[in-house]
Coordinates of all heavy atoms in Angstrom, one line a residue:
L547 N -3.1 -154.8 75.8 CA -4.0 -155.1 74.7 C -5.1 -154.1 74.8 O -6.0 -154.1 75.6 CB -4.5 -156.6 74.9 CG -5.4 -157.1 73.8 CD1 -4.7 -157.2 72.5 CD2 -5.9 -158.5 74.2
A548 N -5.2 -153.3 73.7 CA -6.0 -152.1 73.7 C -7.5 -152.4 74.0 O -8.1 -151.8 74.8 CB -5.8 -151.4 72.4
D549 N -8.0 -153.4 73.2 CA -9.4 -153.8 73.4 C -9.7 -154.3 74.8 O -10.8 -153.9 75.4 CB -9.8 -154.9 72.4 CG -9.7 -154.3 70.9 OD1 -8.6 -154.3 70.4 OD2 -10.8 -154.0 70.4
S550 N -8.8 -155.0 75.3 CA -9.0 -155.5 76.8 C -8.9 -154.4 77.8 O -9.7 -154.4 78.7 CB -7.9 -156.6 77.0 OG -8.2 -157.3 78.2
E551 N -8.0 -153.6 77.6 CA -7.9 -152.4 78.5 C -9.1 -151.5 78.5 O -9.6 -151.0 79.4 CB -6.6 -151.5 78.2 CG -5.3 -152.1 78.6 CD -4.2 -151.2 78.5 OE1 -4.3 -150.1 78.1 OE2 -3.1 -151.6 79.0
D552 N -9.7 -151.2 77.2 CA -10.8 -150.4 77.0 C -12.0 -151.0 77.8 O -12.8 -150.3 78.4 CB -11.1 -150.2 75.6 CG -10.4 -149.1 74.9 OD1 -9.6 -148.4 75.6 OD2 -10.5 -148.9 73.7
L553 N -12.2 -152.3 77.6 CA -13.3 -153.0 78.3 C -13.1 -152.8 79.8 O -14.2 -152.5 80.5 CB -13.3 -154.5 78.0 CG -14.4 -155.3 78.5 CD1 -15.8 -154.7 78.1 CD2 -14.3 -156.7 78.2
F554 N -12.0 -152.9 80.4 CA -11.7 -152.8 81.8 C -12.0 -151.3 82.2 O -12.7 -151.1 83.3 CB -10.3 -153.3 82.2 CG -10.0 -152.9 83.6 CD1 -10.6 -153.6 84.7 CD2 -9.0 -152.0 83.9 CE1 -10.3 -153.2 86.0 CE2 -8.8 -151.6 85.2 CZ -9.3 -152.3 86.2
L555 N -11.4 -150.4 81.5 CA -11.5 -149.0 81.9 C -12.9 -148.4 81.8 O -13.4 -147.7 82.7 CB -10.5 -148.2 81.1 CG -9.1 -148.4 81.4 CD1 -8.2 -147.7 80.4 CD2 -8.6 -148.1 82.8
H556 N -13.6 -148.7 80.6 CA -14.8 -148.0 80.3 C -16.1 -148.8 80.5 O -17.2 -148.3 80.5 CB -14.7 -147.4 78.9 CG -13.5 -146.6 78.7 ND1 -13.4 -145.2 79.3 CD2 -12.4 -146.7 78.0 CE1 -12.2 -144.8 78.9 NE2 -11.6 -145.6 78.1
R557 N -15.9 -150.1 80.6 CA -17.0 -151.0 81.0 C -18.1 -151.0 80.0 O -19.3 -151.1 80.3 CB -17.6 -150.8 82.4 CG -16.5 -150.6 83.5 CD -15.7 -152.0 83.6 NE -14.6 -151.9 84.5 CZ -14.6 -152.4 85.8 NH1 -15.7 -152.9 86.3 NH2 -13.6 -152.3 86.5
K558 N -17.8 -150.7 78.7 CA -18.9 -150.7 77.7 C -18.9 -152.1 77.0 O -18.1 -152.4 76.2 CB -18.6 -149.6 76.6 CG -18.6 -148.2 77.3 CD -18.3 -147.1 76.1 CE -18.4 -145.7 76.8 NZ -18.2 -144.7 75.7
I559 N -20.0 -152.7 77.2 CA -20.3 -154.1 76.6 C -21.6 -154.0 75.9 O -22.4 -153.1 76.0 CB -20.3 -155.2 77.7 CG1 -21.4 -154.9 78.7 CG2 -19.0 -155.3 78.5 CD1 -21.6 -156.0 79.7
D560 N -21.8 -155.1 75.1 CA -23.0 -155.2 74.4 C -24.1 -155.7 75.4 O -24.4 -156.9 75.4 CB -22.9 -156.2 73.2 CG -22.0 -155.6 72.2 OD1 -21.7 -154.5 72.1 OD2 -21.4 -156.5 71.3
E561 N -24.6 -154.8 76.3 CA -25.5 -155.3 77.3 C -26.7 -156.1 76.9 O -27.0 -157.0 77.4 CB -25.8 -154.1 78.2 CG -26.7 -154.5 79.4 CD -26.0 -155.5 80.4 OE1 -24.8 -155.4 80.5 OE2 -26.7 -156.2 81.0
K562 N -27.4 -155.5 75.9 CA -28.6 -156.2 75.5 C -28.3 -157.6 74.9 O -29.0 -158.5 75.2 CB -29.3 -155.3 74.4 CG -30.8 -155.6 74.3 CD -31.6 -154.6 73.5 CE -31.8 -153.3 74.3 NZ -32.6 -153.4 75.4
E563 N -27.2 -157.7 74.1 CA -26.8 -158.9 73.6 C -26.4 -159.9 74.7 O -26.7 -161.1 74.7 CB -25.7 -158.8 72.6 CG -26.1 -158.1 71.3 CD -26.0 -156.6 71.3 OE1 -25.9 -156.0 72.5 OE2 -25.9 -156.0 70.3
M564 N -25.7 -159.4 75.7 CA -25.3 -160.3 76.8 C -26.5 -160.8 77.6 O -26.6 -161.9 78.0 CB -24.5 -159.5 77.9 CG -23.1 -159.0 77.4 SD -22.0 -160.4 77.2 CE -21.9 -160.4 75.5
R565 N -27.6 -160.0 77.8 CA -28.8 -160.4 78.4 C -29.5 -161.4 77.6 O -30.1 -162.5 78.1 CB -29.7 -159.2 78.6 CG -29.2 -158.2 79.7 CD -30.1 -156.9 79.8 NE -31.6 -157.4 80.0 CZ -32.6 -156.6 79.7 NH1 -32.4 -155.5 79.0 NH2 -33.8 -157.1 79.9
I566 N -29.5 -161.3 76.2 CA -30.0 -162.3 75.4 C -29.3 -163.6 75.5 O -29.9 -164.6 75.6 CB -30.0 -161.8 73.9 CG1 -31.0 -160.6 73.7 CG2 -30.4 -163.0 72.9 CD1 -30.9 -160.0 72.4
L567 N -28.0 -163.6 75.4 CA -27.2 -164.8 75.6 C -27.5 -165.5 77.0 O -27.7 -166.7 77.0 CB -25.7 -164.3 75.6 CG -24.7 -165.5 75.7 CD1 -23.4 -165.0 75.0 CD2 -24.3 -165.7 77.3
E568 N -27.6 -164.7 78.0 CA -27.9 -165.3 79.4 C -29.4 -165.8 79.4 O -29.5 -166.8 80.2 CB -27.6 -164.3 80.4 CG -26.1 -163.9 80.6 CD -25.8 -162.8 81.4 OE1 -26.7 -161.8 81.5 OE2 -24.8 -162.8 82.1
A569 N -30.3 -165.2 78.8 CA -31.7 -165.7 78.8 C -31.8 -166.9 78.0 O -32.7 -167.8 78.3 CB -32.5 -164.6 78.2
W570 N -31.0 -167.1 76.9 CA -31.2 -168.3 76.0 C -30.5 -169.4 76.6 O -31.0 -170.6 76.5 CB -30.7 -167.9 74.7 CG -30.9 -169.0 73.6 CD1 -30.1 -170.0 73.2 CD2 -32.1 -169.2 72.9 NE1 -30.6 -170.8 72.3 CE2 -31.9 -170.5 72.0 CE3 -33.4 -168.6 72.9 CZ2 -32.8 -170.8 71.3 CZ3 -34.3 -169.1 72.1 CH2 -34.1 -170.3 71.3
L571 N -29.2 -169.3 77.0 CA -28.4 -170.5 77.4 C -28.9 -171.1 78.7 O -29.2 -170.5 79.6 CB -26.9 -170.1 77.4 CG -26.2 -169.7 76.2 CD1 -24.8 -169.3 76.4 CD2 -26.2 -171.0 75.2
R572 N -28.8 -172.4 78.7 CA -29.0 -173.2 80.0 C -27.7 -173.8 80.4 O -26.7 -173.9 79.6 CB -30.1 -174.3 79.7 CG -31.3 -173.8 79.1 CD -32.2 -175.0 78.7 NE -33.5 -174.7 78.2 CZ -34.2 -175.6 77.5 NH1 -33.8 -176.8 77.3 NH2 -35.5 -175.2 77.1
R573 N -27.7 -174.5 81.6 CA -26.6 -175.2 82.0 C -26.3 -176.4 81.1 O -27.3 -176.9 80.5 CB -26.8 -175.8 83.4 CG -27.1 -174.7 84.5 CD -25.9 -173.8 84.8 NE -24.8 -174.6 85.5 CZ -23.7 -174.0 86.0 NH1 -23.5 -172.7 85.8 NH2 -22.8 -174.8 86.6
K574 N -25.2 -176.7 80.8 CA -24.8 -177.9 79.9 C -24.9 -177.5 78.4 O -24.7 -178.4 77.6 CB -25.5 -179.1 80.2 CG -25.4 -179.6 81.7 CD -26.2 -180.9 81.9 CE -26.1 -181.3 83.3 NZ -26.8 -182.7 83.6
D575 N -25.3 -176.3 78.1 CA -25.5 -176.0 76.7 C -24.1 -175.8 75.9 O -23.1 -175.8 76.5 CB -26.3 -174.7 76.6 CG -27.8 -174.9 76.5 OD1 -28.2 -176.1 76.5 OD2 -28.6 -173.9 76.5
V576 N -24.3 -175.5 74.6 CA -23.1 -175.4 73.8 C -23.2 -174.0 73.1 O -24.2 -173.7 72.5 CB -23.0 -176.5 72.7 CG1 -21.9 -176.2 71.7 CG2 -22.8 -177.8 73.4
M577 N -22.1 -173.2 73.1 CA -22.1 -172.0 72.4 C -20.9 -171.8 71.6 O -19.8 -172.5 71.9 CB -22.0 -170.8 73.4 CG -22.1 -169.4 72.8 SD -20.5 -168.6 72.6 CE -21.0 -167.0 72.3
V578 N -20.9 -171.3 70.4 CA -19.8 -171.1 69.5 C -19.6 -169.6 69.3 O -20.5 -168.9 68.9 CB -20.0 -171.8 68.2 CG1 -18.7 -171.8 67.4 CG2 -20.4 -173.2 68.3
D579 N -18.4 -169.1 69.6 CA -18.1 -167.7 69.4 C -17.1 -167.6 68.2 O -15.9 -167.8 68.4 CB -17.4 -167.2 70.7 CG -17.3 -165.7 70.6 OD1 -17.5 -165.0 69.5 OD2 -16.9 -165.1 71.7
I580 N -17.6 -167.2 67.1 CA -16.7 -167.2 65.8 C -16.3 -165.7 65.6 O -17.0 -164.8 65.3 CB -17.6 -167.6 64.7 CG1 -18.1 -169.0 64.9 CG2 -16.7 -167.6 63.4 CD1 -19.2 -169.4 63.9
G581 N -15.0 -165.5 65.8 CA -14.4 -164.1 65.9 C -14.5 -163.7 67.3 O -15.0 -162.6 67.6
A582 N -13.8 -164.4 68.2 CA -13.9 -164.3 69.6 C -13.2 -163.0 70.1 O -13.6 -162.5 71.2 CB -13.4 -165.4 70.4
N583 N -12.2 -162.5 69.4 CA -11.4 -161.3 69.8 C -11.0 -161.5 71.3 O -10.2 -162.5 71.6 CB -12.2 -160.1 69.6 CG -11.4 -158.8 69.7 OD1 -11.3 -158.2 70.7 ND2 -10.8 -158.5 68.5
V584 N -11.3 -160.7 72.2 CA -10.8 -160.7 73.6 C -11.8 -161.6 74.5 O -11.6 -161.7 75.7 CB -10.6 -159.4 74.3 CG1 -9.5 -158.7 73.5 CG2 -11.9 -158.6 74.3
G585 N -12.7 -162.2 73.8 CA -13.6 -163.2 74.6 C -14.7 -162.7 75.3 O -15.2 -163.5 76.2
M586 N -15.2 -161.5 75.0 CA -16.3 -161.0 75.9 C -17.5 -161.9 75.9 O -18.1 -162.2 76.9 CB -16.7 -159.6 75.4 CG -17.8 -158.9 76.1 SD -18.1 -157.2 75.5 CE -18.6 -157.4 73.9
Y587 N -17.9 -162.4 74.7 CA -19.1 -163.2 74.7 C -18.8 -164.6 75.2 O -19.5 -165.2 75.9 CB -19.6 -163.4 73.2 CG -20.4 -162.2 72.8 CD1 -19.8 -161.0 72.3 CD2 -21.8 -162.2 72.7 CE1 -20.5 -160.0 71.8 CE2 -22.5 -161.2 72.2 CZ -21.9 -160.1 71.8 OH -22.7 -158.9 71.3
A588 N -17.6 -165.1 74.9 CA -17.2 -166.5 75.2 C -17.1 -166.7 76.7 O -17.6 -167.7 77.3 CB -15.8 -166.9 74.6
V589 N -16.6 -165.7 77.4 CA -16.4 -166.0 78.9 C -17.7 -165.8 79.6 O -18.0 -166.5 80.6 CB -15.4 -164.9 79.5 CG1 -13.9 -165.1 78.9 CG2 -15.8 -163.5 79.4
V590 N -18.6 -165.0 79.1 CA -19.9 -164.9 79.8 C -20.8 -166.1 79.4 O -21.4 -166.6 80.3 CB -20.7 -163.7 79.2 CG1 -22.2 -163.7 79.6 CG2 -20.1 -162.4 79.6
A591 N -20.7 -166.7 78.3 CA -21.3 -168.0 78.0 C -20.8 -169.1 78.8 O -21.5 -170.0 79.3 CB -21.1 -168.3 76.5
A592 N -19.4 -169.1 79.1 CA -18.9 -170.2 79.7 C -19.4 -170.1 81.3 O -19.6 -171.2 81.8 CB -17.3 -170.0 79.9
Q593 N -19.6 -169.0 81.8 CA -20.2 -168.9 83.1 C -21.6 -169.3 83.2 O -22.1 -169.9 84.2 CB -20.1 -167.4 83.7 CG -18.6 -166.9 83.9 CD -18.4 -165.5 83.9 OE1 -19.1 -164.8 84.8 NE2 -17.7 -164.8 83.1
K594 N -22.3 -169.1 82.1 CA -23.8 -169.6 82.0 C -23.9 -171.0 81.9 O -24.8 -171.6 82.5 CB -24.4 -168.8 80.9 CG -25.9 -169.1 80.8 CD -26.7 -168.5 82.0 CE -28.2 -168.7 81.8 NZ -28.9 -168.3 82.9
V595 N -23.1 -171.7 81.0 CA -23.3 -173.1 80.7 C -22.7 -174.0 81.7 O -22.9 -175.2 81.9 CB -22.9 -173.5 79.3 CG1 -23.5 -172.6 78.2 CG2 -21.4 -173.4 79.2
G596 N -21.6 -173.5 82.5 CA -21.0 -174.2 83.5 C -20.0 -175.3 83.0 O -19.9 -175.4 81.7
D597 N -19.4 -175.9 83.9 CA -18.2 -176.9 83.6 C -18.8 -178.1 82.7 O -18.0 -178.7 82.0 CB -17.6 -177.5 84.8 CG -16.8 -176.4 85.5 OD1 -16.5 -175.3 84.9 OD2 -16.4 -176.7 86.6
E598 N -20.1 -178.4 82.8 CA -20.7 -179.5 81.9 C -21.1 -179.1 80.6 O -21.5 -179.9 79.8 CB -21.8 -180.1 82.8 CG -21.3 -180.9 84.0 CD -22.5 -181.5 84.8 OE1 -23.6 -180.9 84.7 OE2 -22.2 -182.6 85.4
G599 N -21.1 -177.8 80.3 CA -21.3 -177.2 79.0 C -20.1 -177.1 78.1 O -19.0 -177.6 78.6
N600 N -20.2 -176.5 77.0 CA -19.0 -176.3 76.1 C -19.2 -175.0 75.4 O -20.2 -174.7 74.9 CB -19.0 -177.4 75.1 CG -18.5 -178.8 75.7 OD1 -17.3 -179.0 76.0 ND2 -19.4 -179.7 75.9
V601 N -18.1 -174.3 75.4 CA -18.0 -173.0 74.6 C -16.7 -173.0 73.7 O -15.6 -173.3 74.2 CB -17.9 -171.7 75.6 CG1 -17.7 -170.5 74.7 CG2 -19.1 -171.6 76.4
L602 N -16.9 -173.0 72.4 CA -15.8 -173.0 71.5 C -15.5 -171.5 71.1 O -16.4 -170.9 70.5 CB -16.0 -173.9 70.3 CG -14.9 -173.9 69.2 CD1 -13.6 -174.4 69.8 CD2 -15.4 -174.6 68.0
A603 N -14.3 -171.0 71.3 CA -14.0 -169.6 70.9 C -13.0 -169.8 69.6 O -11.9 -170.5 69.7 CB -13.2 -168.9 72.0
V604 N -13.5 -169.3 68.5 CA -12.8 -169.5 67.3 C -12.2 -168.1 67.0 O -12.9 -167.0 66.8 CB -13.7 -169.9 66.1 CG1 -13.0 -169.9 64.8 CG2 -14.3 -171.3 66.4
E605 N -10.8 -168.0 66.9 CA -10.2 -166.7 66.6 C -9.0 -166.9 65.8 O -8.2 -167.8 66.1 CB -9.8 -166.0 68.0 CG -8.9 -164.8 67.9 CD -9.6 -163.7 67.0 OE1 -10.7 -163.4 67.2 OE2 -8.8 -163.3 66.1
A606 N -8.8 -166.1 64.7 CA -7.8 -166.4 63.7 C -6.5 -165.7 64.2 O -5.4 -166.2 63.7 CB -8.1 -165.8 62.4
S607 N -6.4 -164.8 65.0 CA -5.3 -164.2 65.5 C -4.5 -165.0 66.5 O -5.0 -165.3 67.6 CB -5.5 -162.8 66.1 OG -4.4 -162.3 66.8
P608 N -3.3 -165.4 66.1 CA -2.5 -166.2 67.1 C -2.2 -165.5 68.4 O -2.2 -166.1 69.5 CB -1.2 -166.5 66.3 CG -1.5 -166.4 64.9 CD -2.6 -165.3 64.8
S609 N -2.0 -164.2 68.4 CA -1.8 -163.4 69.6 C -3.0 -163.4 70.4 O -2.9 -163.6 71.7 CB -1.4 -161.9 69.2 OG -1.3 -161.1 70.4
L610 N -4.2 -163.2 69.9 CA -5.4 -163.1 70.7 C -5.8 -164.5 71.2 O -6.3 -164.6 72.4 CB -6.6 -162.6 69.8 CG -6.6 -161.1 69.6 CD1 -7.8 -160.7 68.7 CD2 -6.6 -160.3 70.8
T611 N -5.5 -165.6 70.5 CA -5.8 -166.9 71.1 C -4.9 -167.2 72.3 O -5.3 -167.8 73.2 CB -5.6 -168.0 70.1 OG1 -4.4 -167.9 69.4 CG2 -6.8 -167.9 69.0
G612 N -3.7 -166.6 72.2 CA -2.8 -166.8 73.4 C -3.4 -166.0 74.6 O -3.3 -166.5 75.8
K613 N -4.0 -164.9 74.4 CA -4.6 -164.1 75.5 C -5.8 -164.7 76.0 O -6.1 -164.7 77.2 CB -5.0 -162.7 74.9 CG -3.8 -161.8 74.3 CD -2.7 -161.6 75.4 CE -1.6 -160.6 74.8 NZ -0.9 -161.2 73.6
L614 N -6.6 -165.4 75.0 CA -7.8 -166.2 75.4 C -7.4 -167.4 76.4 O -8.1 -167.7 77.3 CB -8.5 -166.7 74.3 CG -9.3 -165.6 73.6 CD1 -9.8 -166.2 72.2 CD2 -10.5 -165.2 74.3
E615 N -6.2 -167.9 76.1 CA -5.7 -169.0 77.0 C -5.4 -168.5 78.4 O -5.7 -169.2 79.3 CB -4.5 -169.7 76.3 CG -4.8 -170.5 75.0 CD -5.4 -171.7 75.3 OE1 -5.7 -172.1 76.4 OE2 -5.7 -172.4 74.3
L616 N -4.8 -167.4 78.4 CA -4.6 -166.7 79.7 C -5.8 -166.5 80.5 O -6.0 -166.8 81.7 CB -3.9 -165.3 79.5 CG -2.4 -165.3 79.4 CD1 -2.0 -163.8 79.1 CD2 -1.7 -165.8 80.6
G617 N -6.9 -165.9 79.8 CA -8.2 -165.7 80.4 C -8.8 -166.9 80.9 O -9.4 -167.0 81.9
K618 N -8.8 -168.0 80.0 CA -9.3 -169.3 80.4 C -8.7 -169.8 81.8 O -9.4 -170.2 82.7 CB -9.0 -170.3 79.4 CG -9.5 -171.8 79.7 CD -9.2 -172.7 78.6 CE -9.6 -174.2 79.0 NZ -9.5 -175.1 78.0
E619 N -7.4 -169.6 82.0 CA -6.8 -170.0 83.1 C -7.1 -169.2 84.3 O -7.4 -169.7 85.4 CB -5.2 -170.0 82.9 CG -4.4 -170.5 84.1 CD -2.9 -170.5 83.8 OE1 -2.5 -170.2 82.7 OE2 -2.1 -170.6 84.8
L620 N -7.2 -167.8 84.1 CA -7.5 -166.9 85.1 C -9.0 -167.2 85.7 O -9.2 -167.1 86.9 CB -7.5 -165.5 84.7 CG -6.1 -164.8 84.7 CD1 -6.1 -163.4 84.0 CD2 -5.6 -164.6 86.2
L621 N -9.9 -167.4 84.7 CA -11.3 -167.6 85.2 C -11.6 -169.1 85.5 O -12.8 -169.3 85.8 CB -12.2 -167.1 84.0 CG -12.0 -165.6 83.6 CD1 -13.0 -165.3 82.5 CD2 -12.4 -164.7 84.8
Q622 N -10.6 -169.9 85.3 CA -10.8 -171.4 85.5 C -12.1 -171.9 84.7 O -12.9 -172.6 85.2 CB -11.0 -171.6 87.0 CG -9.7 -171.2 87.8 CD -9.9 -171.6 89.3 OE1 -11.0 -171.7 89.8 NE2 -8.8 -171.7 90.0
A623 N -12.1 -171.5 83.5 CA -13.3 -171.8 82.6 C -12.9 -173.2 81.9 O -12.5 -173.2 80.8 CB -13.5 -170.8 81.6
K624 N -13.2 -174.2 82.6 CA -12.9 -175.6 82.1 C -13.7 -175.9 80.9 O -13.2 -176.8 80.1 CB -13.2 -176.6 83.2 CG -12.3 -176.5 84.4 CD -12.7 -177.5 85.5 CE -11.9 -177.4 86.8 NZ -12.3 -178.3 87.8
C625 N -14.8 -175.3 80.7 CA -15.6 -175.6 79.5 C -15.3 -174.8 78.2 O -15.9 -175.0 77.1 CB -17.1 -175.3 79.8 SG -17.5 -173.6 80.1
L626 N -14.3 -174.0 78.3 CA -13.9 -173.1 77.2 C -12.8 -173.7 76.4 O -11.7 -174.1 76.8 CB -13.4 -171.7 77.7 CG -12.9 -170.7 76.7 CD1 -14.1 -170.4 75.7 CD2 -12.4 -169.5 77.4

Side-chain angles (χ1 to χ4, degrees):
L547 184 59
D549 295 78
S550 189
E551 284 192 357
D552 274 359
L553 181 59
F554 171 68
L555 291 172
H556 303 292
R557 311 297 175 103
K558 293 181 178 180
I559 63 174
D560 296 337
E561 181 60 32
K562 201 166 289 291
E563 290 88 340
M564 291 293 112
R565 289 175 55 206
I566 289 169
L567 179 153
E568 291 169 330
W570 184 263
L571 288 176
R572 304 168 176 171
R573 304 290 291 182
K574 303 182 182 181
D575 271 355
V576 173
M577 187 266 194
V578 188
D579 187 354
I580 305 165
N583 197 264
V584 297
M586 179 172 66
Y587 282 80
V589 298
V590 173
Q593 293 162 60
K594 183 66 179 180
V595 304
D597 289 347
E598 293 182 327
N600 288 285
V601 176
L602 176 64
V604 176
E605 173 53 53
S607 165
S609 174
L610 283 178
T611 51
K613 303 300 188 294
L614 286 168
E615 292 286 358
L616 274 177
K618 174 180 178 176
E619 183 178 347
L620 275 171
L621 300 177
Q622 297 181 339
K624 297 178 182 178
C625 66
L626 179 58

